[in-house]
Amino acid sequence: MYTIDLRSDTVTLPTPAMLAAMATAELGDDVYGDDHTVNRLEALAAQRTGKEAAVLVASGTMGNLCSVLAHCGRGDEAIVGDRCHIYNYEAGGASALGGVIYRSVPTTADGELPLAALAAAFSPGYDAHTAATRLICLENTHNTCGGVVVGLDYMAAVRALADERGVRVHLDGARVFNAAVALGVPVDAITQYADSVTFCLSKGLSAPIGSLVCGPAEFIARVRRARKMVGGGMRQAGIIAAAGIVALEQTVERLAEDHANARTLAEGLASFPQLEVDLARVQTDIVYFGLREGAPDARAFIAALRQHGVLLGGAGRRVRMVTHRGIEARDIEDALEAVAAVLRDAA
Ligand code: TLP
């Protein structure tokens, strides 16, 4: 039985062009700044995101951690959305390692932190009781809101608020290229509103490992120090960077196929009365859906679909399917047939 792996776009394998580039990459010791392939990738990432500099890190989590550590000192506050990845799924890194306080504000279904809630979350700054607010973290696309694209007008409004209050904006752009493709804009049209951005090479862009943090040069120097502190100074990292360059040069436009497949998948899922799909929020490669009464709970649903060779994630009564380069239109049809069979058996 062949497997249709819809757990995440992180399961993508490197393309043949990536493997070829890795095999012939010019390498050096990157901690000395000698790996020209890493240097080329960092320059390309900075250029694409419209930032002065960039640094390669092992993962999105490491990129966000080092960014927050570079923006905030011990006892400083970072405002985060209550549904964001940094706050929920990164092991509280900046609190644990940097003494940074996360102040969470509610997240709308569109992945936004309401401006009034953001403004109210700032500490007054003049009071000896309060920690100083230094940073706002946004996420685009917003994963747990369904991979929704956070709009440019909203990003601009947050930028304006941050400037008015003298704080920085960090964008968790793990899937910011999905947002750019969905909006039909170059990625710097989004990243221009953030001081710093982390994006991932190892999700829909199909590279095996790696994320980039991009921002002002003096900030990136602090990120490099934080990266070293958490053990992320890599040596002949050009092996990874070579695949990353191919990812940026060859796989960005392809994300539109993942979005189209996700849409077909979501529309198919929406035809089952036992499933609850918010089609308006299926905008990129992620499809979250609810399991209504009459459907099994997530654990049973996931186990039953596994018997049909379909893998997905989720908990409680909410599950997630993600499309990616390993998924073709035919796989979507087969996955929908498997879902139909599982729901029939459960009835
Ligand atoms: N997300 C993973 C899981 O951790 C949930 C996934 O499969 O979606 N920011 C966002 C918005 C993310 O979705 C992720 C990964 C990260 C950061 C962390 O990236 P990695 O896994 O490279 O540390």
Side-chain angles (χ1 to χ4, degrees):
M1 183 172 51
Y2 84 112
T3 300
I4 303 170
D5 193 344
L6 298 165
R7 286 173 302 175
S8 183
D9 47 10
T10 58
V11 303
T12 42
L13 298 175
T15 65
M18 287 176 191
L19 292 171
M22 290 164 82
T24 55
E26 191 191 348
L27 304 176
D29 188 329
D30 181 50
V31 174
Y32 291 106
D34 285 351
D35 192 304
H36 298 306
T37 310
V38 172
N39 296 343
R40 269 204 299 135
L41 172 63
E42 291 178 346
L44 180 61
Q47 182 241 320
R48 289 283 169 93
T49 55
K51 303 297 178 202
E52 236 180 333
V55 57
L56 174 66
V57 293
S59 65
T61 302
M62 187 186 280
N64 287 330
L65 169 63
C66 294
S67 297
V68 178
L69 292 178
H71 281 301
C72 302
R74 298 191 72 80
D76 286 343
E77 232 169 55
I79 302 178
V80 292
D82 62 350
R83 296 178 64 181
C84 79
H85 199 276
I86 291 180
Y87 187 49
N88 292 290
Y89 304 115
E90 299 187 5
S95 295
L97 303 177
V100 178
I101 300 155
Y102 294 120
R103 180 176 290 271
S104 74
V105 298
T107 311
T108 70
D110 293 322
E112 298 178 0
L113 320 181
L115 291 174
L118 265 185
F122 280 90
S123 65
Y126 51 77
D127 188 325
H129 294 82
T130 60
T133 307
R134 300 275 183 227
L135 184 66
I136 299 171
C137 297
L138 298 178
E139 187 175 309
N140 199 3
T141 64
H142 197 294
N143 182 346
T144 65
C145 290
V148 291
V149 179
V150 177
L152 296 180
D153 290 349
Y154 170 77
M155 302 252 335
V158 173
R159 171 78 270 161
L161 178 67
D163 286 344
E164 189 190 307
R165 303 297 186 97
V167 306
R168 304 274 186 239
V169 177
H170 174 70
L171 176 62
D172 175 358
R175 297 186 179 82
V176 72
F177 283 94
N178 293 83
V181 166
L183 288 173
V185 299
V187 78
D188 62 354
I190 302 172
T191 54
Q192 63 172 322
Y193 298 115
D195 296 280
S196 59
V197 57
T198 301
F199 73 81
C200 295
L201 297 166
S202 57
K203 298 192 165 65
L205 299 185
S206 303
I209 305 168
S211 293
L212 275 301
V213 179
C214 312
E218 48 78 30
F219 164 82
I220 293 299
R222 290 201 302 280
V223 174
R224 279 185 196 282
R225 172 179 284 272
R227 181 186 72 165
K228 193 71 186 142
M229 186 172 75
V230 299
M234 297 179 281
R235 301 295 177 173
Q236 285 74 37
I239 294 271
I240 299 170
I245 292 169
V246 176
L248 283 179
E249 287 180 343
Q250 299 182 10
T251 71
V252 173
E253 280 81 34
R254 200 207 52 78
L255 294 172
E257 291 169 33
D258 298 345
H259 300 177
N261 284 333
R263 168 100 334 231
T264 310
L265 176 64
E267 284 169 0
L269 292 168
S271 69
F272 299 105
Q274 304 95 317
L275 306 181
E276 188 176 357
V277 190
D278 186 349
L279 287 173
R281 303 239 148 58
V282 179
Q283 300 171 5
T284 57
D285 62 338
I286 296 179
V287 184
Y288 269 98
F289 55 101
L291 301 164
R292 290 201 174 105
E293 219 168 302
D297 68 10
R299 187 197 289 257
F301 188 69
I302 291 167
L305 274 171
R306 185 176 274 270
Q307 298 301 314
H308 291 264
V310 177
L311 307 184
L312 73 161
R317 299 204 73 86
R318 194 166 185 246
V319 288
R320 183 183 84 157
M321 290 179 168
V322 187
T323 57
H324 50 78
R325 197 173 55 82
I327 298 295
E328 315 267 320
R330 170 79 210 283
D331 299 315
I332 302 295
E333 279 172 38
D334 291 350
L336 287 169
E337 269 175 37
V339 168
V342 165
L343 292 175
R344 241 189 343 261
D345 289 349

